[in-house]
Amino acid sequence: MPLLDVRNLCVDFRTANGLFRAVDGVDVQVNVGDVLAIVGESGSGKSVSMLALMGLLPWTATINADLLHFDGVDLASANTQQRRSIIGKDVAMIFQEPMSSLNPCFTIGFQLRETMKAHLPLSRRERQSRAIQLLEQVGLPEPERRLKAFPHQLSGGMCQRVMIAMAIACKPKLLIADEPTPALDVTIQAQILELLLDLQKDTGMALVLITHDMGVVAETAQRVSVQYAGQKVEEQGVRDLFANPHHPYTHALLAALPERATSRQLPSIPGVVPGQFDRPKGCLFSPRCTYAKDRCFQEVPVAAPPALGLARCHYPLVDGIAQREVS
Amino acid sequence: MLNNNTLIEATDLSRHYEVSNGLFGGKSTVKALSSASFHLQAGSTLAVVGESGCGKSTLARVVTMIEPPTAGQLILDGHRISGDISLTDEQRAELRASVQIVFQDPFGSLNPRQSIGRILEEPVLINRPSVSPTQREQQAREMLAMVGLRPEHYDRYPHMFSGGQRQRIAVARALMLEPRILVLDEPVSALDLSIQSQILNLLVELQERLNLAYLFISHDLSVVRHMADEVMVMYLGRVVESGSAAAVFDSPKHPYTQALLSATPVADPTREQTRIRLQGELPSPLNPPAGCAFNPRCWRAQDRCRVTAPELSDEGTHIVACYFPLHD
């Protein structure tokens, strides 16, 4: 049984102009020890689906799912108390901006110990020694002195290490990292990613990495799920995805990478991601797709078989060539 | 003798800042940029790469004349600018028109209370008061078409545009005064991948059409590799390696350049990972280490590196500031 099993997750936001569907029928399965990357552009719903799982969305959001199971517990029907005993302990999350995710009014040590106080039956002294041990584990020099520091006294890379230390304080079974590196420099980014992978290997926890950087995906993930405008459009193993993308969107996204360019002009995807008011009738990607046919503008496609990467497309690509029919 | 096509000629350009250390601490100097020398030809792209705090944005500010250099000489389009000689305001304004800048964040660099037409016309209004309003409007509309926006966008406001479109507007605004040099400060790092390629294509196209010189500042090495003719790698205010893009990327000589290249994630899962692990973080520019600034993180550092800083020297294909450069 998968550690995390989410089926047909939908998240709607109540806005001044009516309902806006940010996540539309997304399935996520994560097994113990998995490294899953969720990629997509801004507005593709990749962060929102994970925030929904954590219960961190504002009251304007309505969450619906056929299944929302974590480690055998149904999160959808769990009461607040049950939820709180899981979230932050067994499921932990690292947020985008390390500098603004830490509370500037409290020391690093206080914030680290606070998590343990809520979830672990440790004494004050044990918490302190565990905090030092955690900072050592994430590679922060002089941990005892750092515990007394405030967030503004640390650099971005150090803050991100503190965030990771906080997330792994209760030995989570699942760690969700939401764009953990874009605010950091490349050499620091490499250190942080390596740290996350080392932790994942040592503790056997599952890791979900939300990112838009294809380079990061290629170097860290085992499985990749591609999201577009709130829908999952493709899911494959990382090597297969880069070698043989089945959905035209993935194909176009990979072709737009500057390092794959063969000429000065890059192949680009025309247009922009559809918003609340210009959602197309058929396939959501159809207005920007080079392979789109009449049917794509009329009918909503369903996911193709796993052999075709679950591509949500009427005519999935095989080796860059559109196939006739699948469904 | 300067070649007619050379638009920027910088020699030992430096920018130091005085910072106070509190009431009794006295003053200390931050060497944000020390003795950078480079030149830039019309129609070519010079990329400046490095991590935060390496002085690349300071360089952009000096080149665009937002700040004067504290030492060294900068020749822009044939005019000398340096700390000691002051230009008249008129000369300065004229020179400023020939160097324009596009900023990183398209959400913060456009005034939300101005329409696109007004944003585009403002530089003309200020710098060329003799141009008539109808002519200005016509210029702005032509510019909209040039950067791939539609004429009806003229009356709209910035919040109605996506990030990619805003960056097009920022490029259009920078081009309104017909500059010869465009400083691009991380022009695509705030954009999504599919939009990024559209903007890069636009920049390539404009460069070919208008014979612009680009000073391209970026930390994304895959973008730099695609765009640049020449590359300059900086670390803590100093140029550590400089040369043609092919030479720097294919045979990096400075350990820092090599570490930077190996740390950049490559979108190819089948590639063997040979990553150089850099320990530690960038030292504070207020208190740089003695000798070579990179020595505390360098795995090849020896006693000599901790005493004196190496000067840039010719290493065959390009120039490097290292006592023990790497060879293939």
Coordinates of all heavy atoms in Angstrom, one line a residue, chain A residues 42-113:
Chain A
S42 N 4.2 28.4 -12.9 CA 3.5 29.0 -11.9 C 2.0 28.9 -12.3 O 1.6 29.1 -13.5 CB 3.9 30.4 -11.7 OG 4.1 31.1 -12.9
G43 N 1.1 28.7 -11.3 CA -0.3 28.5 -11.6 C -0.7 27.1 -12.0 O -1.8 26.9 -12.4
S44 N 0.2 26.2 -12.0 CA -0.2 24.8 -12.4 C -0.7 24.0 -11.2 O -1.1 22.9 -11.4 CB 1.1 24.1 -13.0 OG 2.0 23.9 -12.0
G45 N -0.8 24.6 -10.1 CA -1.4 24.0 -8.9 C -0.5 23.0 -8.2 O -1.0 22.2 -7.3
K46 N 0.8 23.0 -8.5 CA 1.6 22.0 -7.8 C 1.8 22.3 -6.3 O 1.8 21.4 -5.5 CB 3.0 22.0 -8.5 CG 3.7 23.3 -8.7 CD 4.9 23.1 -9.7 CE 5.9 24.3 -9.6 NZ 5.3 25.6 -9.9
S47 N 1.9 23.6 -5.9 CA 2.0 23.9 -4.5 C 0.7 23.7 -3.8 O 0.6 23.1 -2.7 CB 2.5 25.3 -4.3 OG 3.8 25.5 -4.8
V48 N -0.4 24.1 -4.5 CA -1.7 24.1 -3.8 C -2.1 22.6 -3.5 O -2.7 22.4 -2.4 CB -2.8 24.7 -4.8 CG1 -4.2 24.6 -4.2 CG2 -2.5 26.2 -4.9
S49 N -1.8 21.7 -4.4 CA -2.2 20.3 -4.1 C -1.5 19.8 -2.8 O -2.1 19.1 -2.0 CB -2.0 19.4 -5.3 OG -0.6 19.5 -5.7
M50 N -0.3 20.2 -2.6 CA 0.4 19.7 -1.4 C 0.0 20.5 -0.2 O -0.1 19.9 0.9 CB 2.0 19.9 -1.6 CG 2.5 18.8 -2.5 SD 2.3 17.1 -1.9 CE 1.5 16.4 -3.4
L51 N -0.3 21.8 -0.3 CA -0.8 22.6 0.8 C -2.2 22.0 1.2 O -2.5 22.0 2.4 CB -0.9 24.0 0.4 CG 0.4 24.8 0.3 CD1 0.2 26.2 -0.3 CD2 1.1 24.9 1.6
A52 N -3.0 21.6 0.3 CA -4.3 21.0 0.6 C -4.1 19.8 1.5 O -4.8 19.5 2.5 CB -5.0 20.6 -0.7
L53 N -3.1 19.0 1.1 CA -2.8 17.8 1.9 C -2.4 18.1 3.3 O -2.8 17.5 4.3 CB -1.7 17.0 1.2 CG -1.1 15.8 1.9 CD1 -2.1 14.7 1.8 CD2 0.2 15.4 1.4
M54 N -1.6 19.2 3.5 CA -1.2 19.6 4.8 C -2.2 20.4 5.6 O -2.0 20.7 6.7 CB 0.1 20.6 4.6 CG 1.3 20.0 4.0 SD 2.1 18.9 5.1 CE 2.9 20.0 6.2
G55 N -3.3 20.7 4.9 CA -4.4 21.5 5.5 C -4.0 23.0 5.8 O -4.4 23.6 6.8
L56 N -3.2 23.5 4.9 CA -2.7 24.9 5.1 C -3.3 25.9 4.2 O -2.9 27.0 4.1 CB -1.2 24.9 4.9 CG -0.3 24.1 5.9 CD1 1.1 24.1 5.5 CD2 -0.5 24.7 7.3
L57 N -4.4 25.5 3.5 CA -5.1 26.4 2.6 C -6.0 27.4 3.4 O -6.5 27.0 4.4 CB -5.8 25.7 1.5 CG -5.0 25.0 0.5 CD1 -5.8 24.1 -0.4 CD2 -4.1 26.0 -0.3
P58 N -6.2 28.6 2.9 CA -7.1 29.5 3.6 C -8.6 29.0 3.5 O -8.9 28.1 2.7 CB -7.0 30.8 2.8 CG -6.4 30.4 1.5 CD -5.6 29.2 1.7
W59 N -9.5 29.6 4.3 CA -10.9 29.2 4.3 C -11.6 29.3 3.0 O -12.7 28.7 2.8 CB -11.6 29.9 5.4 CG -11.7 31.4 5.2 CD1 -10.7 32.3 5.5 CD2 -12.7 32.1 4.5 NE1 -11.1 33.6 5.1 CE2 -12.3 33.5 4.4 CE3 -13.9 31.8 3.9 CZ2 -13.0 34.5 3.8 CZ3 -14.7 32.8 3.3 CH2 -14.2 34.1 3.2
T60 N -11.1 30.1 2.1 CA -11.8 30.2 0.8 C -11.7 29.0 -0.1 O -12.3 28.9 -1.1 CB -11.2 31.4 0.0 OG1 -9.8 31.3 0.0 CG2 -11.6 32.7 0.6
A61 N -10.8 28.1 0.3 CA -10.6 26.9 -0.5 C -11.5 25.7 -0.1 O -11.7 25.5 1.1 CB -9.1 26.4 -0.4
T62 N -12.0 25.0 -1.1 CA -12.8 23.8 -0.8 C -12.0 22.6 -1.4 O -11.6 22.7 -2.5 CB -14.2 23.8 -1.5 OG1 -14.6 25.2 -1.6 CG2 -15.2 23.0 -0.8
I63 N -11.8 21.6 -0.5 CA -11.0 20.5 -1.0 C -11.9 19.3 -1.2 O -12.7 18.9 -0.3 CB -9.9 20.2 0.0 CG1 -9.0 21.4 0.3 CG2 -9.1 19.0 -0.4 CD1 -8.2 21.3 1.5
N64 N -11.9 18.6 -2.3 CA -12.6 17.4 -2.6 C -11.7 16.4 -3.1 O -10.8 16.7 -3.9 CB -13.7 17.6 -3.6 CG -14.9 18.4 -3.0 OD1 -15.4 18.0 -2.1 ND2 -15.1 19.6 -3.6
A65 N -11.8 15.1 -2.6 CA -11.0 14.1 -3.1 C -11.7 12.8 -2.9 O -12.4 12.6 -2.0 CB -9.6 14.0 -2.4
D66 N -11.5 11.8 -3.9 CA -12.1 10.5 -3.7 C -11.4 9.7 -2.6 O -11.9 8.9 -1.9 CB -11.9 9.7 -5.0 CG -12.8 10.3 -6.1 OD1 -13.6 11.2 -5.8 OD2 -12.7 9.8 -7.3
L67 N -10.1 10.0 -2.5 CA -9.3 9.3 -1.5 C -8.2 10.3 -1.1 O -7.5 11.0 -1.9 CB -8.6 8.1 -2.2 CG -8.2 6.9 -1.3 CD1 -9.4 6.4 -0.6 CD2 -7.5 5.9 -2.2
L68 N -8.0 10.4 0.2 CA -6.9 11.2 0.7 C -6.3 10.5 1.9 O -6.5 10.8 3.1 CB -7.5 12.6 1.2 CG -6.5 13.8 1.3 CD1 -5.8 14.1 0.0 CD2 -7.2 15.0 1.9
H69 N -5.5 9.5 1.6 CA -4.9 8.6 2.6 C -3.5 8.8 2.8 O -2.7 8.9 1.9 CB -5.1 7.1 2.2 CG -6.5 6.6 2.6 ND1 -6.8 5.3 2.5 CD2 -7.6 7.3 3.0 CE1 -8.1 5.2 2.9 NE2 -8.6 6.3 3.2
F70 N -3.1 9.0 4.1 CA -1.7 9.0 4.4 C -1.4 7.9 5.5 O -2.0 7.9 6.5 CB -1.2 10.3 5.0 CG 0.2 10.3 5.4 CD1 1.2 10.4 4.5 CD2 0.5 10.2 6.8 CE1 2.6 10.3 4.9 CE2 1.8 10.1 7.2 CZ 2.9 10.2 6.2
D71 N -0.5 6.9 5.1 CA -0.1 5.9 6.0 C -1.4 5.2 6.6 O -1.4 4.9 7.8 CB 0.8 6.5 7.1 CG 1.7 5.4 7.7 OD1 1.8 4.3 7.1 OD2 2.3 5.7 8.8
G72 N -2.4 4.9 5.8 CA -3.6 4.2 6.3 C -4.6 5.1 7.0 O -5.6 4.6 7.4
V73 N -4.3 6.4 7.2 CA -5.3 7.3 7.9 C -5.9 8.1 6.8 O -5.3 8.7 5.9 CB -4.5 8.2 8.9 CG1 -5.5 9.1 9.6 CG2 -3.7 7.3 9.9
D74 N -7.3 8.2 6.9 CA -8.0 9.0 6.0 C -8.0 10.5 6.5 O -8.6 10.8 7.5 CB -9.4 8.5 5.9 CG -10.2 9.3 4.9 OD1 -9.6 10.1 4.1 OD2 -11.4 9.1 4.8
L75 N -7.2 11.3 5.8 CA -7.0 12.7 6.2 C -8.3 13.5 6.0 O -8.5 14.5 6.7 CB -5.8 13.3 5.5 CG -4.4 12.9 5.9 CD1 -3.4 13.6 5.1 CD2 -4.2 13.2 7.4
A76 N -9.1 13.1 5.1 CA -10.3 13.9 4.8 C -11.3 13.9 5.9 O -11.9 14.8 6.2 CB -10.9 13.4 3.5
S77 N -11.4 12.7 6.5 CA -12.4 12.5 7.6 C -11.8 12.7 9.0 O -12.5 12.7 10.0 CB -13.1 11.2 7.5 OG -12.2 10.2 7.7
A78 N -10.5 12.8 9.1 CA -9.8 12.9 10.4 C -10.2 14.2 11.1 O -10.4 15.2 10.4 CB -8.3 12.8 10.2
N79 N -10.3 14.2 12.4 CA -10.6 15.4 13.1 C -9.4 16.2 13.4 O -8.3 15.7 13.1 CB -11.4 15.1 14.4 CG -10.6 14.3 15.4 OD1 -9.4 14.4 15.4 ND2 -11.3 13.4 16.1
T80 N -9.5 17.4 13.9 CA -8.4 18.3 14.0 C -7.2 17.7 14.8 O -6.1 17.8 14.5 CB -8.8 19.6 14.6 OG1 -10.1 19.9 14.2 CG2 -7.9 20.8 14.2
Q81 N -7.7 17.0 15.9 CA -6.6 16.5 16.8 C -5.8 15.4 16.1 O -4.6 15.4 16.1 CB -7.3 15.8 18.0 CG -6.7 16.3 19.3 CD -7.5 15.9 20.4 OE1 -8.6 15.2 20.3 NE2 -7.1 16.3 21.6
Q82 N -6.5 14.5 15.4 CA -5.8 13.5 14.6 C -4.8 14.1 13.6 O -3.7 13.6 13.4 CB -6.8 12.5 13.9 CG -7.4 11.5 14.8 CD -8.5 10.7 14.1 OE1 -9.4 11.4 13.5 NE2 -8.4 9.4 14.2
R83 N -5.4 15.0 12.9 CA -4.6 15.7 11.9 C -3.3 16.3 12.4 O -2.2 16.2 11.9 CB -5.4 16.9 11.3 CG -6.2 16.6 10.1 CD -6.8 17.9 9.6 NE -6.0 18.3 8.4 CZ -6.3 17.9 7.2 NH1 -7.3 17.2 6.9 NH2 -5.5 18.3 6.2
R84 N -3.5 17.0 13.6 CA -2.3 17.7 14.2 C -1.3 16.7 14.6 O -0.1 17.1 14.7 CB -2.8 18.6 15.4 CG -3.6 19.7 14.9 CD -3.6 20.8 15.9 NE -2.4 21.5 15.9 CZ -2.2 22.7 16.5 NH1 -3.2 23.3 17.1 NH2 -1.1 23.3 16.5
S85 N -1.7 15.5 15.0 CA -0.7 14.5 15.4 C 0.1 14.0 14.2 O 1.2 13.4 14.4 CB -1.4 13.4 16.2 OG -2.1 12.6 15.3
I86 N -0.4 14.1 13.0 CA 0.3 13.6 11.8 C 1.0 14.7 11.1 O 2.2 14.6 10.9 CB -0.8 13.0 10.8 CG1 -1.4 11.8 11.4 CG2 -0.1 12.7 9.5 CD1 -2.6 11.3 10.6
I87 N 0.4 15.9 10.9 CA 1.0 17.0 10.2 C 2.1 17.6 11.1 O 1.9 17.9 12.2 CB 0.0 18.1 9.8 CG1 -1.2 17.5 9.1 CG2 0.6 19.2 9.1 CD1 -0.9 16.9 7.7
G88 N 3.3 17.7 10.5 CA 4.4 18.3 11.3 C 5.2 17.2 11.9 O 6.4 17.4 12.3
K89 N 4.6 16.0 12.1 CA 5.4 14.9 12.6 C 5.7 13.9 11.5 O 6.9 13.7 11.2 CB 4.6 14.2 13.7 CG 5.3 13.1 14.4 CD 4.6 12.7 15.7 CE 5.4 11.7 16.5 NZ 5.4 10.4 15.8
D90 N 4.7 13.2 11.0 CA 4.9 12.2 10.0 C 5.0 12.8 8.6 O 5.6 12.3 7.7 CB 3.8 11.2 10.0 CG 3.9 10.3 11.3 OD1 5.0 10.3 11.8 OD2 2.9 9.8 11.7
V91 N 4.3 13.9 8.4 CA 4.4 14.7 7.1 C 5.0 16.1 7.4 O 4.4 16.8 8.2 CB 3.1 14.9 6.4 CG1 3.3 15.4 5.0 CG2 2.2 13.7 6.5
A92 N 6.1 16.4 6.9 CA 6.7 17.7 7.1 C 6.9 18.4 5.8 O 7.0 17.8 4.7 CB 8.0 17.6 7.9
M93 N 7.0 19.7 5.9 CA 7.1 20.5 4.6 C 8.2 21.6 4.8 O 8.3 22.2 5.8 CB 5.8 21.1 4.3 CG 5.7 21.7 3.0 SD 3.9 21.9 2.5 CE 4.1 22.6 0.9
I94 N 8.9 21.8 3.7 CA 9.9 22.9 3.6 C 9.3 23.9 2.6 O 9.0 23.5 1.5 CB 11.2 22.4 3.1 CG1 11.8 21.3 4.1 CG2 12.2 23.5 3.0 CD1 12.9 20.5 3.5
F95 N 9.3 25.1 3.0 CA 8.6 26.1 2.2 C 9.6 26.9 1.3 O 10.8 26.8 1.5 CB 7.8 27.1 3.1 CG 6.8 26.4 3.8 CD1 7.0 26.0 5.1 CD2 5.6 26.1 3.3 CE1 6.0 25.3 5.9 CE2 4.6 25.4 4.0 CZ 4.8 25.0 5.3
Q96 N 9.0 27.6 0.4 CA 9.8 28.3 -0.7 C 10.8 29.3 -0.2 O 12.0 29.1 -0.5 CB 8.8 29.1 -1.6 CG 8.3 28.2 -2.7 CD 7.4 29.0 -3.6 OE1 7.6 30.1 -3.9 NE2 6.5 28.3 -4.2
E97 N 10.4 30.3 0.6 CA 11.4 31.3 1.0 C 11.8 31.1 2.4 O 11.1 31.4 3.3 CB 10.8 32.7 0.8 CG 10.7 33.1 -0.7 CD 9.9 34.3 -0.8 OE1 10.1 35.3 -0.1 OE2 9.0 34.3 -1.7
P98 N 13.1 30.6 2.6 CA 13.5 30.3 3.9 C 13.5 31.5 4.8 O 13.2 31.4 6.0 CB 14.9 29.7 3.7 CG 15.3 30.1 2.4 CD 14.1 30.3 1.6
M99 N 13.9 32.7 4.2 CA 14.0 33.9 5.1 C 12.7 34.3 5.7 O 12.6 34.7 6.8 CB 14.6 35.0 4.2 CG 15.9 34.8 3.7 SD 17.1 34.6 4.9 CE 18.2 35.9 4.6
S100 N 11.6 34.2 4.9 CA 10.3 34.6 5.4 C 9.5 33.5 6.0 O 8.5 33.8 6.6 CB 9.5 35.3 4.3 OG 9.5 34.5 3.2
S101 N 10.0 32.3 6.0 CA 9.2 31.2 6.6 C 9.6 31.1 8.1 O 8.8 30.5 8.9 CB 9.5 29.9 6.0 OG 9.3 30.0 4.6
L102 N 10.7 31.6 8.5 CA 11.1 31.6 9.9 C 10.6 32.8 10.6 O 10.5 33.9 10.0 CB 12.6 31.5 10.0 CG 13.3 30.2 9.6 CD1 14.8 30.4 9.5 CD2 12.9 29.1 10.5
N103 N 10.2 32.7 11.8 CA 9.7 33.8 12.6 C 10.9 34.7 13.0 O 11.7 34.3 13.8 CB 8.9 33.3 13.8 CG 8.2 34.4 14.5 OD1 8.6 35.6 14.5 ND2 7.1 34.1 15.1
P104 N 10.9 36.0 12.6 CA 12.0 36.8 13.0 C 12.1 37.2 14.4 O 13.1 37.7 14.9 CB 11.8 38.1 12.1 CG 10.3 38.1 11.9 CD 9.9 36.7 11.8
C105 N 11.0 37.0 15.2 CA 11.0 37.4 16.6 C 11.6 36.3 17.5 O 11.8 36.6 18.7 CB 9.6 37.7 17.1 SG 8.8 38.9 16.0
F106 N 11.8 35.1 17.1 CA 12.3 34.1 18.0 C 13.6 33.5 17.5 O 13.9 33.5 16.3 CB 11.3 32.9 18.1 CG 10.0 33.4 18.7 CD1 8.9 33.7 17.9 CD2 9.9 33.4 20.1 CE1 7.7 34.2 18.5 CE2 8.7 33.9 20.7 CZ 7.6 34.2 19.9
T107 N 14.4 33.0 18.4 CA 15.7 32.4 18.0 C 15.5 31.1 17.2 O 14.4 30.5 17.3 CB 16.6 32.1 19.2 OG1 15.9 31.1 20.0 CG2 16.9 33.3 20.0
I108 N 16.5 30.7 16.5 CA 16.5 29.4 15.8 C 16.2 28.3 16.7 O 15.4 27.4 16.5 CB 17.8 29.2 15.1 CG1 18.2 30.3 14.1 CG2 17.9 27.8 14.4 CD1 17.2 30.5 13.0
G109 N 16.8 28.3 17.9 CA 16.7 27.2 18.9 C 15.3 27.1 19.4 O 14.7 26.0 19.4
F110 N 14.7 28.2 19.7 CA 13.3 28.2 20.1 C 12.4 27.6 19.1 O 11.5 26.7 19.4 CB 12.8 29.6 20.4 CG 11.4 29.7 20.9 CD1 11.1 29.6 22.3 CD2 10.3 29.9 20.0 CE1 9.8 29.6 22.7 CE2 9.0 29.9 20.4 CZ 8.7 29.8 21.8
Q111 N 12.5 28.0 17.8 CA 11.7 27.5 16.8 C 11.9 26.0 16.5 O 10.9 25.3 16.2 CB 11.9 28.3 15.5 CG 11.5 29.7 15.7 CD 11.6 30.6 14.4 OE1 11.0 30.2 13.4 NE2 12.3 31.6 14.5
L112 N 13.1 25.6 16.7 CA 13.4 24.1 16.5 C 12.8 23.3 17.6 O 12.3 22.2 17.4 CB 15.0 23.9 16.5 CG 15.6 23.7 15.2 CD1 17.1 23.7 15.4 CD2 15.2 22.3 14.6
R113 N 13.0 23.8 18.8 CA 12.5 23.0 20.0 C 11.0 23.0 20.1 O 10.4 22.1 20.6 CB 13.1 23.6 21.3 CG 14.6 23.4 21.5 CD 15.0 23.8 22.8 NE 14.8 25.2 23.1 CZ 15.7 26.1 22.9 NH1 17.0 25.8 22.6 NH2 15.5 27.4 23.2

